[in-house]
Amino acid sequence: MYNQSIQWSGRKRTSHGGERRQAAAVRERTRLLQLAVCAALFAAVFIGKGVFPQRLAQLQGELQAVLSSDTDFRAALAGLGESLAGKGPVLEELGSFCVQVFGPSQGEDAVQDPAVQVQAAQDFLNLGAGQAEQAAHYLRLEQAPEAWFQTETAAEAPAAQTAPEAAVPAVGTVVWSANYTGTPLPENYTMDCISLGDLQTVTPVLGHLRSEYGYRDHPVDGEYKFHNGVDIGGQEGDPIGAFAAGTVDYIGENDDHGLYLQLDHGNGIKSFYAHCSKLCVSQGQPVAAGEKVAEVGSTGVATGPHLHLELKWNGLHLNPAYYVEFLTD
């Protein structure tokens, strides 16, 4: 009977010792899990502070409210430290620390159970939220501002490559064909639009189009013939600007064109001005685009003051209407 009692007592002690070891192991695993969750919380907060400094500036008011509150950070950290050192319940202290530092969520009447908070933290971390959502979550915002995602996308995306500008067609390239079907054109005349390359141009005189480029009945002699340029209306003495930068090719006067001049713009491009009342440049003189080179007049064969303007590329006459503007009212 005595031996049986000893044996039973020994089995009981052995059983209790195993249970205590098992319970200790469970508590240790629980403590490690809680420590991991705590580390994750701290990591998420510090990631937010490290990655979103410019965004935290947007939340200056909220952060100042937290930092200037009555929260005793030293006491909170000390309490958490005691818990991690085995002097207090980790789960309870972790919840208390979160509440002390971050406070309850807006609209909460009571602090949630610490176990619920830890579980909520685990659930959030398992979502794989992006950095913007993490910062918003741990700063206790209802949602991350849209601007955060735009800034984050711009910061993470590689520098956008500027789309190359469309290449300017080379001088002399046919930009588009006019599909002209009228009277055969004289030699060295075209109705097609020809590229002038990257030449910077201006309208010499802004006026109404009085006569177009092409065949017409001459307003003085009535003969049907080709008009080499366009006639732009103006007032006597109006300034005539250079079509583009270049050099004065020549100046002159005759019965048909009156006072005239021609500018050479390089690359075979030239502009011709006729019926002027005054010439303001001399042969060989360099001029800038828009610089005054003459004044509107009605010298030569003309029915009134206007500018007769011609454009040529390598001796080929072009339609100036493609390259200048006119008044339409």
Side-chain angles (χ1 to χ4, degrees):
M1 181 67 176
Y2 175 77
N3 292 336
Q4 290 179 348
S5 178
I6 293 295
Q7 292 173 1
W8 180 85
S9 177
R11 286 196 299 270
K12 186 175 180 180
R13 285 196 297 271
T14 301
S15 176
H16 287 175
E19 290 177 355
R20 284 195 296 271
R21 286 193 297 272
Q22 185 177 4
V26 171
R27 286 195 299 273
E28 184 65 22
R29 287 196 298 271
T30 302
R31 185 178 298 277
L32 290 175
L33 174 61
Q34 293 165 349
L35 180 59
V37 172
C38 184
L41 287 170
F42 278 106
V45 171
F46 286 119
I47 287 174
K49 290 182 179 179
V51 176
F52 300 98
Q54 72 279 16
R55 294 163 187 165
L56 290 178
Q58 301 173 9
L59 302 170
Q60 183 178 5
E62 288 83 349
L63 292 175
Q64 286 180 344
V66 172
L67 297 176
S68 62
S69 65
D70 295 332
T71 301
D72 188 344
F73 288 90
R74 184 183 299 277
L77 290 170
L80 184 61
E82 290 181 2
S83 172
L84 295 177
K87 298 181 180 180
V90 175
L91 193 61
E92 180 179 349
E93 289 300 327
L94 176 59
S96 299
F97 174 78
C98 292
V99 172
Q100 289 179 58
V101 175
F102 297 106
S105 300
Q106 296 180 356
E108 290 184 356
D109 296 328
V111 177
Q112 294 181 344
D113 188 303
V116 176
Q117 291 183 334
V118 171
Q119 184 61 47
Q122 287 179 308
D123 293 341
F124 177 75
L125 293 175
N126 290 335
L127 292 176
Q131 293 174 338
E133 292 94 337
Q134 289 184 28
H137 176 79
Y138 292 109
L139 290 173
R140 310 197 69 79
L141 299 179
E142 293 183 359
Q143 62 181 11
E146 185 66 25
W148 286 18
F149 296 97
Q150 296 173 355
T151 304
E152 181 178 354
T153 301
E156 293 177 352
Q161 296 181 352
T162 304
E165 296 182 1
V168 177
V171 176
T173 303
V174 176
V175 178
W176 57 269
S177 299
N179 193 26
Y180 176 73
T181 58
T183 304
L185 299 176
E187 187 177 358
N188 293 327
Y189 287 79
T190 182
M191 288 292 188
D192 295 339
C193 181
I194 304 297
S195 171
L196 302 182
D198 57 0
L199 184 68
Q200 301 298 310
T201 65
V202 298
T203 297
V205 173
L206 185 59
H208 293 91
L209 177 61
R210 298 303 186 189
S211 185
E212 298 180 353
Y213 171 87
Y215 284 101
R216 66 168 186 174
D217 292 325
H218 195 277
V220 176
D221 60 24
E223 184 180 354
Y224 184 74
K225 57 185 177 182
F226 201 92
H227 187 215
N228 299 344
V230 293
D231 290 343
I232 306 173
Q235 300 297 319
E236 187 84 17
D238 284 348
I240 299 172
F243 173 69
T247 304
V248 179
D249 198 11
Y250 57 77
I251 62 174
E253 182 178 13
N254 60 30
D255 293 339
D256 289 334
H257 294 102
L259 290 172
Y260 61 83
L261 68 111
Q262 180 165 288
L263 302 180
D264 185 347
H265 307 292
N267 291 323
I269 304 169
K270 297 184 179 184
S271 57
F272 179 80
Y273 313 77
H275 305 302
C276 304
S277 62
K278 180 181 179 181
L279 301 179
C280 305
V281 292
S282 57
Q283 186 173 354
Q285 176 181 332
V287 295
E291 181 179 342
K292 181 179 177 180
V293 293
E295 294 180 1
V296 171
S298 57
T299 58
V301 179
T303 58
H306 70 279
L307 168 64
H308 173 80
L309 175 67
E310 299 179 17
L311 289 179
K312 291 169 278 188
W313 171 70
N314 285 344
L316 179 68
H317 284 74
L318 311 177
N319 185 351
Y322 297 150
Y323 310 95
V324 299
E325 298 177 346
F326 305 98
L327 292 177
T328 57
D329 57 352

